[in-house]
Amino acid sequence: MEKPMTKYRITFFKLLAIISLLYYVVCIIFAGPLLSFVWIWLLLAGFCFLRAHMLTKKMQGKEKWHAPKWLVYVYRICLVAGISIFVFVEAQVVAGMNTAPQEDLEYIIVLGAGVNGTTPTRPLRLRIQTAYEYMEANPDTMLIASGGKGWDERISEAECIRNMLVEMGLDETRIIIEDASRDTEENIRNSYELIPSKDCRVGVVTNSFHVWRSLQIAKSQGCENISGVPAKTLMPVGIHYVVREFFGYVKWKFL
């Protein structure tokens, strides 16, 4: 019984390795080689190929080194614990993707997401579109366009957000600029400095995969009366973004 089970495990790891490599190529094609954390798919493929190789050697009786039992137990415990934590975090991310926006918020904060010269990247364009639709449906809401200027950007993300919203027909007097932030933590902290009180009802406009972590960051800064306004997550790279959120959350929380 052990040999057939080992064969199934070898097939599983080989298949997962091939899928990971193919998905890595897909991410590069759709988002470019500078996509953050894209290396995790190569890492996963390498791990799976290694496990398939080790299981093959074991099945053939050619295993040169036998790990002590205590090391096997430690490996299994760490693997199960890691998978459990990953599944828990990903469940929160997916739940955040399905957040229903609250109506009549006093402010919404549009988080920047990169600018190509003066043109918004695809994730940022979706955030802007979602913000515009929300502002049209809620005429008393004010909007904070948040995001600084990167070394490779001709204008700040905040300016790009404002320009596109004005082009779409939104009254410029309803837009507040915050153009000094460099990441989500600063987006929220700096934006709240422009809001009269943390008791105001505020929404964060970001792509759906990013909603949960954004709200966790906001709440860690004492912003309790805050909710998500999710924009669309692009596929097929959206799968990578969802998985990447785990590493983004761990980095923010523990590093």
Side-chain angles (χ1 to χ4, degrees):
M1 183 66 181
E2 185 177 348
K3 274 197 173 183
M5 286 302 297
T6 302
K7 286 182 179 179
Y8 289 137
R9 291 168 66 190
I10 292 171
T11 301
F12 168 77
F13 280 116
K14 285 183 177 179
L15 184 61
L16 187 56
I18 292 170
I19 291 172
S20 298
L21 281 176
L22 291 175
Y23 188 64
Y24 171 79
V25 174
V26 168
C27 288
I28 296 300
I29 291 172
F30 278 84
L34 298 181
L35 178 64
S36 61
F37 285 94
V38 72
W39 51 263
I40 62 177
W41 301 104
L42 291 178
L43 186 64
L44 178 59
F47 170 79
C48 290
F49 275 128
L50 179 62
R51 286 297 295 144
H53 175 74
M54 292 170 65
L55 289 169
T56 300
K57 291 294 184 182
K58 181 179 180 180
M59 189 176 68
Q60 295 172 347
K62 297 180 180 179
E63 196 174 20
K64 294 182 179 180
W65 179 75
H66 296 275
K69 285 188 176 180
W70 68 267
L71 185 59
V72 174
Y73 290 141
V74 169
Y75 162 76
R76 290 175 178 173
I77 290 170
C78 291
L79 183 63
V80 171
I83 292 174
S84 300
I85 295 170
F86 176 80
V87 170
F88 173 78
V89 171
E90 288 300 301
Q92 308 307 310
V93 172
V94 172
M97 293 175 71
N98 297 309
T99 300
Q102 295 183 18
E103 296 181 359
D104 298 319
L105 294 170
E106 295 170 76
Y107 292 86
I108 60 171
I109 302 169
V110 185
L111 303 185
V115 177
N116 294 323
T118 60
T119 305
T121 57
R122 288 187 294 174
L124 181 55
R125 186 178 296 275
L126 290 169
R127 298 181 189 189
I128 295 170
Q129 179 64 41
T130 298
Y132 176 76
E133 292 170 0
Y134 187 91
M135 294 292 283
E136 285 292 288
N138 299 272
D140 294 327
T141 301
M142 293 292 292
L143 181 147
I144 299 176
S146 179
K149 179 179 176 294
W151 65 269
D152 57 342
E153 298 170 339
R154 291 175 57 189
I155 60 174
S156 70
E157 294 168 0
E159 187 178 350
C160 179
I161 294 168
R162 179 190 60 193
N163 292 347
M164 186 170 172
L165 286 170
V166 172
E167 286 177 11
M168 296 170 76
L170 186 66
D171 186 348
E172 190 171 358
T173 61
R174 298 177 65 193
I175 303 172
I176 303 170
I177 292 291
E178 184 289 296
D179 59 1
S181 55
R182 296 168 295 178
D183 55 33
T184 303
E185 289 184 74
E186 291 186 4
N187 282 142
I188 294 170
R189 183 182 300 112
N190 295 348
S191 295
Y192 261 88
E193 291 178 357
L194 304 174
I195 297 174
S197 169
K198 285 193 174 182
D199 293 327
C200 289
R201 296 173 63 243
V202 178
V204 175
V205 182
T206 186
N207 302 98
S208 59
F209 68 86
H210 191 229
V211 166
W212 180 71
R213 180 158 62 99
S214 298
L215 295 183
Q216 295 303 303
I217 291 171
K219 290 174 182 177
S220 74
Q221 296 179 5
C223 313
E224 291 296 332
N225 202 5
I226 191 166
S227 59
V229 182
K232 186 178 179 182
T233 291
L234 291 168
M235 293 296 172
V237 185
I239 297 170
H240 171 73
Y241 289 142
V242 171
V243 172
R244 189 184 67 178
E245 277 302 285
F246 171 78
F247 298 94
Y249 176 76
V250 170
K251 180 181 178 182
W252 165 70
K253 191 74 175 177
F254 302 106
L255 301 181

